[in-house]
Amino acid sequence: MRVLLTGSAGFIGSHVMEALDHDVVTADLRTGVDVRDPATLDRLLPGVDAVVHQAAKVGLGVNVADLPAYASVNVYGTATLLAAMARHGVGRLVLASSMVVYGEGAYDCPRHGRVRPGPRRADDLAKGVFDPRCPRCDDVLAPAVIDEDAPLDPRNAYATTKLAQEHLAANWARETSGTAVALRYHNVYGPGMPRDTPYAGVASIFLSSLLAGRAPRVFEDGAQRRDFVHVRDVARANLLALGAGTAGALVAYNIASGTPRTVGDLAAALATWTGGPRPVTTGDYRLGDVRHIVASPARAARELGFTARIRFEDGIKEIVAG
């Protein structure tokens, strides 16, 4: 199989490149290849059987000034790529999506069962009430496991553009009878993580602080639950996804370890293995952040044959070792 890999020089894309056992054509903005350029795509796509689309602007973003860049790279770039795939008869897509499309995760209310909370209130956050409230009785909710059929509710610019990518891919699949697989990555970490940038993930931010001799600063109370999945497991999921899917539709999968941790756990583990200062829990917050996302990877195990192999402790040791 001949595969076009976009974002091939990026953190995740470079690991996907290593994992793919196919004839690979690479495309990355860092090497001067922009998927927003139709002429470039017309040069790269002839003879390609599948596209693995990792290219994206990532991270929560700094403020609303980032909106045009997110829309340009993630939305317009994906639309341009899909149109070119249709021109050249490329019928298979693996899309790097994200757990951020869910917004808040799944929650249960003691009185009303499974509910969908609205955005957390600024006055609650300012008072240190970080868990979302029931939309019916206003009680604080408990986190539950989220699966791929949960309602999608993006709550920041990055999340909105990742969901737009999924919708565009679904449109393309229906209109061309193509096969589209969206991999909803949870918190990806591992060798080569971007560092010292406001768009980096939380593991990178904590590690950069520790290596500079500073205590990692943990927002809220540190009890936010996430699923940290190693980048080599994510790369393997992409390889498996090339053989999956249904013609004429988009199918989504949570790519997660299935073993959630708190953000405070992550900071403490990194501090232990670097020998650096203990984390400081600040109580600070960002309105675009969500509280808990605990994923079920059951569909990926059942349909892709994917289960994460790299233990959290081993992955943390590896990134500290550099």
Coordinates of all heavy atoms in Angstrom, one line a residue, residues 251-307:
V251 N -15.9 6.1 11.0 CA -15.9 5.4 12.3 C -14.9 6.0 13.2 O -13.7 6.2 12.8 CB -15.7 3.9 12.1 CG1 -15.8 3.2 13.4 CG2 -16.6 3.3 11.1
A252 N -15.2 6.3 14.5 CA -14.3 6.9 15.4 C -14.0 5.9 16.5 O -14.8 5.1 16.9 CB -15.0 8.2 16.0
Y253 N -12.7 6.1 17.0 CA -12.2 5.2 18.1 C -11.5 6.1 19.1 O -10.6 6.9 18.7 CB -11.2 4.2 17.5 CG -11.9 3.2 16.6 CD1 -11.7 3.4 15.2 CD2 -12.5 2.1 17.0 CE1 -12.3 2.5 14.3 CE2 -13.1 1.2 16.1 CZ -13.0 1.4 14.8 OH -13.6 0.5 13.9
N254 N -11.7 5.8 20.4 CA -10.9 6.3 21.4 C -9.5 5.6 21.4 O -9.5 4.4 21.5 CB -11.5 6.1 22.8 CG -12.7 7.0 23.1 OD1 -12.7 8.2 22.6 ND2 -13.7 6.6 23.8
I255 N -8.5 6.4 21.4 CA -7.1 5.8 21.5 C -6.6 6.2 22.8 O -6.1 7.4 23.0 CB -6.2 6.2 20.3 CG1 -6.9 5.8 19.0 CG2 -4.8 5.6 20.4 CD1 -7.2 4.3 18.8
A256 N -6.7 5.3 23.7 CA -6.4 5.6 25.2 C -5.8 4.4 25.8 O -5.9 3.3 25.3 CB -7.7 6.0 25.8
S257 N -5.2 4.6 27.0 CA -4.6 3.5 27.7 C -5.7 2.7 28.5 O -5.5 1.5 28.8 CB -3.6 4.0 28.7 OG -4.2 4.7 29.8
G258 N -6.8 3.3 28.8 CA -7.8 2.7 29.6 C -7.5 2.7 31.1 O -8.3 2.2 31.9
T259 N -6.4 3.4 31.5 CA -6.1 3.6 32.9 C -5.9 5.0 33.2 O -4.8 5.6 33.0 CB -4.8 2.8 33.2 OG1 -4.9 1.5 32.8 CG2 -4.5 2.8 34.7
P260 N -7.0 5.7 33.6 CA -6.9 7.2 33.9 C -6.0 7.5 35.0 O -5.8 6.7 36.0 CB -8.3 7.6 34.1 CG -9.0 6.3 34.6 CD -8.3 5.2 33.9
R261 N -5.4 8.7 35.0 CA -4.6 9.3 36.0 C -5.0 10.7 36.2 O -5.7 11.3 35.3 CB -3.1 9.3 35.6 CG -2.6 8.0 35.1 CD -2.1 7.1 36.2 NE -1.7 5.8 35.7 CZ -1.0 4.9 36.4 NH1 -0.7 5.2 37.7 NH2 -0.7 3.8 35.9
T262 N -4.7 11.3 37.4 CA -4.9 12.7 37.5 C -3.8 13.5 37.0 O -2.6 13.0 36.9 CB -5.2 13.1 39.0 OG1 -4.0 12.9 39.7 CG2 -6.3 12.2 39.6
V263 N -4.0 14.8 36.7 CA -2.9 15.7 36.3 C -1.9 15.8 37.4 O -0.7 15.9 37.2 CB -3.5 17.0 35.9 CG1 -2.4 18.0 35.6 CG2 -4.4 16.9 34.7
G264 N -2.4 15.8 38.7 CA -1.5 15.8 39.8 C -0.6 14.6 39.9 O 0.6 14.6 40.2
D265 N -1.2 13.4 39.5 CA -0.4 12.2 39.5 C 0.8 12.3 38.5 O 1.9 11.9 38.7 CB -1.2 11.0 39.0 CG -2.2 10.5 40.1 OD1 -2.0 10.8 41.3 OD2 -3.2 9.8 39.7
L266 N 0.4 12.9 37.3 CA 1.4 13.1 36.3 C 2.6 14.0 36.8 O 3.8 13.6 36.6 CB 0.8 13.7 35.0 CG 1.7 14.1 33.9 CD1 2.4 12.9 33.3 CD2 1.0 14.9 32.9
A267 N 2.2 15.1 37.3 CA 3.2 16.0 37.8 C 4.1 15.4 38.9 O 5.3 15.5 38.9 CB 2.6 17.3 38.4
A268 N 3.5 14.6 39.8 CA 4.3 14.0 40.9 C 5.2 12.9 40.3 O 6.3 12.8 40.8 CB 3.3 13.4 41.9
A269 N 4.7 12.1 39.3 CA 5.6 11.1 38.7 C 6.8 11.7 38.0 O 7.9 11.2 38.2 CB 4.8 10.3 37.8
L270 N 6.6 12.8 37.3 CA 7.7 13.5 36.6 C 8.7 14.0 37.6 O 9.9 14.0 37.4 CB 7.1 14.5 35.7 CG 6.4 14.1 34.4 CD1 5.7 15.2 33.8 CD2 7.5 13.5 33.4
A271 N 8.1 14.6 38.7 CA 9.0 15.2 39.7 C 9.9 14.1 40.4 O 11.1 14.3 40.6 CB 8.2 15.9 40.8
T272 N 9.3 12.9 40.6 CA 10.0 11.8 41.2 C 11.1 11.3 40.3 O 12.3 11.2 40.8 CB 9.0 10.6 41.5 OG1 8.1 11.1 42.5 CG2 9.8 9.4 42.0
W273 N 10.8 11.1 39.1 CA 11.8 10.6 38.2 C 12.9 11.6 37.7 O 14.0 11.2 37.3 CB 11.2 9.9 37.0 CG 10.5 8.6 37.4 CD1 9.2 8.4 37.6 CD2 11.2 7.4 37.8 NE1 9.0 7.1 38.1 CE2 10.2 6.5 38.2 CE3 12.5 7.0 37.8 CZ2 10.5 5.2 38.6 CZ3 12.8 5.7 38.2 CH2 11.8 4.8 38.6
T274 N 12.6 12.9 37.8 CA 13.6 13.9 37.5 C 14.4 14.2 38.8 O 15.5 14.8 38.6 CB 13.0 15.2 36.9 OG1 12.1 15.7 37.9 CG2 12.4 14.9 35.6
G275 N 13.9 13.9 39.9 CA 14.5 14.4 41.2 C 14.3 15.8 41.4 O 15.1 16.5 42.2
G276 N 13.3 16.4 40.7 CA 13.1 17.8 40.8 C 12.2 18.2 42.0 O 11.7 17.4 42.7
P277 N 11.8 19.5 42.1 CA 11.0 20.0 43.2 C 9.6 19.4 43.0 O 9.1 19.1 41.9 CB 11.0 21.5 43.0 CG 11.5 21.7 41.6 CD 12.3 20.6 41.2
R278 N 8.9 19.3 44.2 CA 7.6 18.7 44.2 C 6.6 19.7 43.5 O 6.8 20.9 43.5 CB 7.1 18.5 45.6 CG 8.0 17.6 46.4 CD 8.3 16.3 45.7 NE 7.1 15.5 45.4 CZ 7.0 14.4 44.6 NH1 8.1 14.1 43.9 NH2 5.9 13.8 44.4
P279 N 5.5 19.2 42.9 CA 4.6 20.1 42.2 C 3.9 21.1 43.2 O 3.7 20.8 44.4 CB 3.5 19.1 41.6 CG 4.2 17.8 41.6 CD 5.2 17.8 42.7
V280 N 3.5 22.2 42.7 CA 2.7 23.2 43.4 C 1.3 23.2 42.8 O 1.2 23.5 41.6 CB 3.4 24.6 43.3 CG1 2.5 25.6 44.0 CG2 4.8 24.5 44.0
T281 N 0.3 23.0 43.6 CA -1.1 23.1 43.1 C -1.6 24.5 43.3 O -1.6 25.0 44.5 CB -2.0 22.1 43.9 OG1 -1.5 20.8 43.7 CG2 -3.4 22.2 43.4
T282 N -1.9 25.2 42.2 CA -2.1 26.6 42.3 C -3.6 27.1 42.5 O -3.8 28.2 42.9 CB -1.6 27.3 41.0 OG1 -2.5 26.8 39.9 CG2 -0.2 26.8 40.7
G283 N -4.5 26.3 42.1 CA -5.9 26.7 42.1 C -6.3 27.6 40.8 O -7.4 27.9 40.7
D284 N -5.3 27.9 40.0 CA -5.5 28.6 38.8 C -6.4 27.8 37.8 O -6.4 26.5 37.9 CB -4.2 29.0 38.1 CG -3.4 30.0 38.9 OD1 -4.0 30.7 39.8 OD2 -2.2 30.1 38.7
Y285 N -7.0 28.4 36.9 CA -7.9 27.7 35.9 C -7.9 28.4 34.6 O -7.6 29.6 34.5 CB -9.3 27.5 36.5 CG -10.0 28.8 36.8 CD1 -10.7 29.5 35.8 CD2 -9.9 29.4 38.1 CE1 -11.3 30.7 36.1 CE2 -10.5 30.6 38.3 CZ -11.2 31.3 37.3 OH -11.8 32.5 37.6
R286 N -8.4 27.7 33.6 CA -8.6 28.3 32.3 C -10.0 28.0 31.9 O -10.4 26.8 32.0 CB -7.6 27.8 31.2 CG -6.2 28.2 31.5 CD -5.2 27.8 30.4 NE -5.2 26.3 30.2 CZ -4.4 25.7 29.3 NH1 -3.6 26.4 28.6 NH2 -4.5 24.4 29.2
L287 N -10.8 28.9 31.4 CA -12.2 28.7 31.1 C -12.3 27.6 29.9 O -13.4 26.9 29.9 CB -12.9 29.9 30.7 CG -13.2 30.9 31.8 CD1 -13.8 32.2 31.2 CD2 -14.1 30.3 32.8
G288 N -11.4 27.5 29.1 CA -11.5 26.5 28.0 C -11.1 25.1 28.4 O -11.3 24.2 27.6
D289 N -10.6 24.9 29.6 CA -10.3 23.5 30.0 C -11.5 22.8 30.4 O -12.5 23.4 30.9 CB -9.3 23.6 31.2 CG -7.9 23.9 30.8 OD1 -7.5 23.7 29.6 OD2 -7.1 24.3 31.7
V290 N -11.5 21.5 30.3 CA -12.5 20.6 30.8 C -12.0 19.9 32.1 O -10.8 19.8 32.3 CB -13.1 19.6 29.8 CG1 -13.7 20.4 28.6 CG2 -12.0 18.7 29.3
R291 N -12.9 19.3 32.9 CA -12.5 18.8 34.2 C -12.0 17.3 34.1 O -10.9 17.1 34.4 CB -13.7 18.9 35.1 CG -13.5 18.3 36.5 CD -12.3 19.0 37.2 NE -12.3 18.6 38.6 CZ -11.3 18.9 39.5 NH1 -10.3 19.6 39.0 NH2 -11.3 18.5 40.7
H292 N -12.8 16.4 33.6 CA -12.5 15.0 33.6 C -12.8 14.4 32.2 O -13.9 14.7 31.7 CB -13.2 14.2 34.6 CG -13.1 14.7 36.0 ND1 -11.9 14.6 36.7 CD2 -14.0 15.2 36.9 CE1 -12.0 15.1 37.9 NE2 -13.3 15.4 38.1
I293 N -11.9 13.7 31.6 CA -12.3 12.8 30.5 C -11.7 11.5 30.7 O -10.4 11.3 30.6 CB -11.8 13.4 29.1 CG1 -12.3 14.8 28.9 CG2 -12.2 12.5 28.0 CD1 -11.9 15.4 27.6
V294 N -12.5 10.5 31.0 CA -12.1 9.1 31.3 C -12.7 8.3 30.1 O -13.9 8.2 29.9 CB -12.6 8.6 32.6 CG1 -12.2 7.2 32.9 CG2 -12.1 9.6 33.7
A295 N -11.8 7.7 29.4 CA -12.2 7.0 28.1 C -12.4 5.5 28.2 O -11.7 4.9 29.0 CB -11.2 7.3 27.0
S296 N -13.3 5.0 27.4 CA -13.4 3.6 27.2 C -12.7 3.3 25.9 O -13.1 3.7 24.8 CB -14.8 3.1 27.1 OG -14.9 1.8 26.6
P297 N -11.6 2.4 25.9 CA -11.0 2.0 24.6 C -11.5 0.7 24.1 O -10.9 0.0 23.3 CB -9.5 1.9 25.0 CG -9.6 1.4 26.5 CD -10.8 2.0 27.1
A298 N -12.7 0.3 24.6 CA -13.3 -1.0 24.3 C -13.5 -1.2 22.8 O -13.2 -2.3 22.2 CB -14.5 -1.3 25.0
R299 N -14.0 -0.2 22.1 CA -14.3 -0.3 20.7 C -13.0 -0.5 19.9 O -13.0 -1.3 19.0 CB -15.1 0.9 20.1 CG -15.4 0.8 18.6 CD -16.0 2.1 18.1 NE -17.4 2.2 18.5 CZ -18.2 3.3 18.2 NH1 -17.7 4.3 17.5 NH2 -19.4 3.4 18.7
A300 N -12.0 0.2 20.2 CA -10.7 0.1 19.5 C -10.1 -1.3 19.7 O -9.6 -1.9 18.8 CB -9.7 1.1 20.0
A301 N -10.3 -1.9 20.9 CA -9.8 -3.2 21.2 C -10.6 -4.2 20.4 O -10.0 -5.2 19.8 CB -9.9 -3.5 22.7
R302 N -11.9 -4.0 20.3 CA -12.8 -5.0 19.6 C -12.7 -4.9 18.1 O -12.6 -6.0 17.4 CB -14.2 -4.7 20.1 CG -15.3 -5.7 19.6 CD -16.6 -5.4 20.2 NE -17.1 -4.1 19.8 CZ -17.3 -3.0 20.6 NH1 -16.9 -3.1 21.9 NH2 -17.8 -1.9 20.2
E303 N -12.6 -3.7 17.6 CA -12.7 -3.6 16.1 C -11.3 -3.3 15.4 O -11.1 -3.7 14.3 CB -13.6 -2.4 15.8 CG -15.1 -2.7 16.2 CD -16.0 -1.6 15.9 OE1 -15.7 -0.8 15.0 OE2 -17.2 -1.6 16.4
L304 N -10.4 -2.7 16.2 CA -9.0 -2.5 15.6 C -8.0 -3.5 16.1 O -7.0 -3.7 15.5 CB -8.5 -1.1 16.0 CG -9.2 0.1 15.4 CD1 -8.5 1.4 15.9 CD2 -9.3 0.1 13.9
G305 N -8.3 -4.2 17.2 CA -7.3 -5.0 17.8 C -6.3 -4.2 18.5 O -5.2 -4.7 18.8
F306 N -6.7 -3.0 19.0 CA -5.7 -2.1 19.6 C -5.9 -2.1 21.1 O -7.0 -1.9 21.6 CB -5.9 -0.7 19.1 CG -5.1 0.3 20.0 CD1 -3.7 0.5 19.8 CD2 -5.7 1.0 21.0 CE1 -3.0 1.4 20.5 CE2 -5.0 1.9 21.8 CZ -3.6 2.1 21.5
T307 N -4.9 -2.4 21.9 CA -4.8 -2.1 23.3 C -3.4 -1.5 23.5 O -2.4 -1.9 22.9 CB -5.0 -3.4 24.2 OG1 -4.0 -4.3 23.8 CG2 -6.4 -3.9 24.1

